[in-house]
Amino acid sequence: MSRKKIVALSGGVGGAKLSAGLAALLPASDLTIIVNTGDDAEHFGLSVAPDIDTQLYTLSGRADLARGWGQKDETWNAMGMLREMGEEVWFNIGDHDLGLNLLRTMRLKRGDRLTDITADFARALGLGMALLPMSDTPVSTLIRCDARDYEFHEWFVQAQGKPTVRDLVFRGAETAPMSPEVSAALRDPDLAAILIAPSNPYLSIAPILAVQGLRAALIAARAPVIGISPVVGGQAIKGPTAAMLSGFGLPVTAAAVAALHADIFDGYILDQRDHLDQTAFQALDIHAIQADTMMVDHPAKEALARVALDFAAQLSKVSA
Amino acid sequence: MSRKKIVALSGGVGGAKLSAGLAALLPASDLTIIVNTGDDAEHFGLSVAPDIDTQLYTLSGRADLARGWGQKDETWNAMGMLREMGEEVWFNIGDHDLGLNLLRTMRLKRGDRLTDITADFARALGLGMALLPMSDTPVSTLIRCDARDYEFHEWFVQAQGKPTVRDLVFRGAETAPMSPEVSAALRDPDLAAILIAPSNPYLSIAPILAVQGLRAALIAARAPVIGISPVVGGQAIKGPTAAMLSGFGLPVTAAAVAALHADIFDGYILDQRDHLDQTAFQALDIHAIQADTMMVDHPAKEALARVALDFAAQLSKVSA
């Protein structure tokens, strides 16, 4: 098999771990990461893009892994000043992070594409892979709960993800075109695999799939599409995935997550700690295998990336 | 004399020292400082107001006196990040300072008046005097030099004030109204003195005087208008005043500075180290006295403020 390009669709933390594993294995020119921008929003007049920044910071070794967002060795003096001025600050941005967000905001106002801005940031941070926003057109996730609707960060940060989610709306997605770069990456004849990172299926993956034409492009791609489970042992590794599955009346299992987007998957990787319900996956027409999906350290990220790439090669042979 | 309210017109550092001296002497409710906003500009998408911030930081004890601008114990991580992203950063904003500027920018975009924003900042910093922008309508100083025109900070910061100034334009000033607060302070029947701080006469005082109706309001005020010289011993205490006087072919003397705005002054205080040219001041119809104007420490600021207030009382008696 001569095809060698890899595309990963990704949200924030879990996805960035997979990105790091892939980046360690692949030549940078072979790796494209398509990142959710449904969490993008305006705070303090700044255009924030949390999942893009989590990728940038994780891949450049700057992420604060303990906190789970933002940069390590960060200071918080700008927000401290806002608080001293009497502002209620529930969305926190560190000082380094603020610099990046200031620059993104300036450039967006000048009319630069988020794709170009992100590429310049990645290059400045020494990253060689293609890190692509899912679209250059804003998409914003609205969270519908019983009592009210929430903007994404109102729900995720301010309300700590507690109100039970009844529905999600990816505003702007159906008319948001893929960027030419995203479209080209998914049509690349050299594409060997499309990986769906172990990110939240509702909040991180669904908005990407909602972008105009993107789901169809995945289905049309000749390369196998392989998902990695974000739930292990009946729990999400991080974030609200488990609570959301339960809220929608679904079991907290890899099969339930895979079933949410069953049309796109050729293969699925669930954790070795879980029971592999082959009947369920066969019913979804998805090949399923098990691996250590926890990515607790760098070798584990690299190992999972290798499992995913090998699995893709195997599925390509099967379908060839 | 029962009148007791004091108004000071002020630029940045030198003016803020006088403000601090006055604040130490007067009940907060008797002190109004009208601040130059001709240096206000947009940097990194933020609305900066350097002279207002110098007043806020100086009066609340946060100013970095050694650097001469910004806050002490400051960090510079946001700007550091911009530089890492490849941006040329010639206008530096510290992280705390950035927080204040973010909030000002957000509030201006919401339609709040700079006067109200500044009042809220002052209150949050524990300041009781009235700190008033000269106008709520933007005024921006353009510096005309031989080779080209400069925006204020391009000239002052980026070009380090080196190109010889041929002319100054205070764009927007003639149609910028005084705020109701500035107008009321200058018409207050209880007004005992109007002090013109030892700030740059071209860059800090002239823009204030250029605001629609403001010069006329000073001249019409019953209280004496007293200037304090920003030049001592043939040099400016700080900044480009001396070079500008020379560039305009004027001697670097207190009398030359007083002559620039002779129509407004009833009295003028020059430094005790200088020669008091009574003939020159008599020709300008300005009463002149000498004092220690250097304000090297807090007692010196307070002493100069006291000299100015006593001088005003004396001139009031003369004219009464």
Side-chain angles (χ1 to χ4, degrees):
Chain A
M1 189 182 81
S2 65
R3 291 183 285 152
K4 59 191 174 64
K5 298 277 182 72
I6 305 296
V7 166
L9 271 56
S10 179
V13 178
K17 286 182 183 172
L18 182 69
S19 298
L22 292 166
L25 290 182
L26 299 167
S29 56
D30 288 349
L31 178 58
T32 296
I33 304 161
I34 298 172
V35 187
N36 172 41
T37 60
D39 305 358
D40 292 12
E42 191 167 297
H43 291 287
F44 315 114
L46 302 176
S47 298
V48 306
D51 284 354
I52 287 175
D53 290 353
T54 294
Q55 295 279 343
L56 287 169
Y57 298 157
T58 302
L59 290 166
S60 62
R62 286 170 178 254
D64 188 312
L65 299 175
R67 195 191 315 113
W69 57 273
Q71 299 196 20
K72 63 187 177 188
D73 304 323
E74 185 58 290
T75 58
W76 306 90
N77 291 325
M79 294 295 120
M81 195 71 197
L82 281 171
R83 287 195 179 90
E84 282 196 66
M85 295 295 104
E87 287 292 295
E88 193 202 342
V89 176
W90 56 263
F91 190 88
N92 227 342
I93 305 182
D95 296 325
H96 292 91
D97 207 6
L98 200 55
L100 195 83
N101 281 291
L102 263 183
L103 183 55
R104 173 166 38 232
T105 305
M106 287 163 63
R107 291 194 54 183
L108 285 170
K109 281 190 186 147
R110 283 207 297 258
D112 290 352
R113 295 189 312 149
L114 184 61
T115 298
D116 293 322
I117 299 167
T118 305
D120 289 343
F121 287 179
R123 200 173 302 119
L125 290 168
L127 304 177
M129 77 289 293
L131 198 62
L132 303 178
M134 66 192 198
S135 178
D136 285 315
T137 300
V139 172
S140 72
T141 298
L142 185 77
I143 314 269
R144 302 216 134 130
C145 300
D146 289 326
R148 53 169 286 208
D149 294 348
Y150 292 84
E151 295 296 326
F152 180 75
H153 295 121
E154 282 184 327
W155 178 83
F156 188 65
V157 180
Q158 196 173 25
Q160 300 174 287
K162 285 176 183 163
T164 302
V165 179
R166 296 305 178 194
D167 197 10
L168 293 143
V169 186
F170 307 117
R171 288 168 299 179
E174 69 231 47
T175 55
M178 292 181 270
S179 65
E181 289 84 349
V182 166
S183 182
L186 293 175
R187 288 162 190 266
D188 192 329
D190 202 21
L191 191 60
I194 299 170
L195 308 181
I196 311 297
S199 297
N200 187 302
Y202 297 106
L203 299 173
S204 301
I205 303 303
I208 305 178
L209 299 178
V211 167
Q212 190 185 45
L214 203 148
R215 180 185 285 266
L218 288 188
I219 293 168
R222 278 183 52 214
V225 177
I226 292 169
I228 298 168
S229 176
V231 299
V232 174
Q235 296 192 326
I237 293 168
K238 188 166 168 46
T241 305
M244 293 182 75
L245 285 162
S246 300
F248 284 112
L250 297 173
V252 184
T253 63
V257 176
L260 291 173
H261 306 300
D263 55 333
I264 65 167
F265 293 122
D266 300 298
Y268 207 80
I269 302 171
L270 59 157
D271 196 76
Q272 61 197 11
R273 296 158 190 83
D274 284 344
H275 167 65
L276 169 46
D277 182 351
Q278 281 295 9
T279 313
F281 279 100
Q282 277 160 11
L284 298 169
D285 196 23
I286 298 173
H287 296 269
I289 63 167
Q290 289 182 288
D292 179 1
T293 66
M294 293 283 280
M295 297 190 284
V296 292
D297 55 19
H298 191 77
K301 293 171 197 170
E302 209 175 310
L304 180 60
R306 190 174 300 282
V307 166
L309 298 182
D310 291 347
F311 188 26
Q314 191 187 323
L315 290 180
S316 292
K317 275 183 203 152
V318 169
S319 68
Chain B
M1 189 184 80
S2 65
R3 291 182 286 154
K4 57 190 173 67
K5 299 275 181 75
I6 305 296
V7 166
L9 271 56
S10 179
V13 177
K17 286 183 183 172
L18 181 68
S19 298
L22 291 166
L25 290 183
L26 298 167
S29 57
D30 288 349
L31 178 57
T32 296
I33 303 160
I34 298 173
V35 186
N36 172 42
T37 59
D39 305 358
D40 292 11
E42 190 167 297
H43 291 286
F44 316 114
L46 302 175
S47 298
V48 307
D51 283 355
I52 288 175
D53 290 353
T54 294
Q55 295 279 342
L56 288 169
Y57 298 157
T58 301
L59 290 166
S60 63
R62 288 170 177 253
D64 188 312
L65 300 175
R67 195 191 314 115
W69 57 274
Q71 299 196 19
K72 61 188 178 188
D73 304 322
E74 185 58 290
T75 57
W76 306 89
N77 292 323
M79 294 295 120
M81 195 71 196
L82 281 171
R83 288 194 179 91
E84 282 196 64
M85 294 296 103
E87 286 293 294
E88 193 201 342
V89 177
W90 56 263
F91 190 87
N92 227 344
I93 304 183
D95 296 325
H96 292 91
D97 206 6
L98 200 55
L100 195 84
N101 281 293
L102 262 183
L103 184 54
R104 172 163 42 228
T105 305
M106 286 163 63
R107 291 193 55 182
L108 286 171
K109 281 190 186 148
R110 285 207 296 260
D112 291 351
R113 294 190 313 149
L114 184 60
T115 298
D116 293 323
I117 299 168
T118 304
D120 289 343
F121 287 178
R123 201 174 301 119
L125 290 169
L127 304 177
M129 74 289 293
L131 198 62
L132 304 178
M134 65 192 199
S135 176
D136 285 316
T137 299
V139 172
S140 72
T141 299
L142 184 77
I143 314 267
R144 303 217 133 131
C145 300
D146 289 326
R148 53 169 285 209
D149 293 349
Y150 292 84
E151 294 298 327
F152 179 74
H153 295 121
E154 282 185 327
W155 179 82
F156 188 65
V157 181
Q158 196 174 24
Q160 300 173 287
K162 285 177 184 164
T164 301
V165 179
R166 295 305 178 196
D167 197 10
L168 292 144
V169 186
F170 306 117
R171 288 168 300 179
E174 70 231 46
T175 55
M178 291 182 272
S179 66
E181 290 84 349
V182 166
S183 181
L186 293 175
R187 287 161 190 266
D188 192 329
D190 202 20
L191 191 59
I194 299 170
L195 308 181
I196 311 296
S199 297
N200 188 302
Y202 296 106
L203 299 173
S204 300
I205 302 304
I208 305 179
L209 299 178
V211 167
Q212 190 184 47
L214 203 148
R215 179 186 286 265
L218 289 188
I219 293 168
R222 277 183 53 212
V225 178
I226 292 169
I228 298 169
S229 175
V231 299
V232 174
Q235 296 193 325
I237 293 168
K238 189 164 168 45
T241 305
M244 292 181 76
L245 285 163
S246 299
F248 284 112
L250 297 172
V252 184
T253 64
V257 175
L260 292 174
H261 307 300
D263 55 335
I264 66 167
F265 293 121
D266 299 297
Y268 208 80
I269 303 172
L270 58 157
D271 196 76
Q272 61 197 12
R273 296 160 190 81
D274 284 345
H275 167 67
L276 169 46
D277 182 352
Q278 282 293 9
T279 313
F281 280 99
Q282 278 160 11
L284 298 170
D285 195 22
I286 298 173
H287 295 268
I289 63 167
Q290 288 181 288
D292 179 1
T293 66
M294 292 284 280
M295 298 190 283
V296 292
D297 54 20
H298 190 77
K301 294 171 197 172
E302 208 175 311
L304 180 60
R306 190 175 300 281
V307 166
L309 298 182
D310 291 346
F311 188 27
Q314 192 187 322
L315 290 182
S316 293
K317 275 181 203 153
V318 169
S319 68

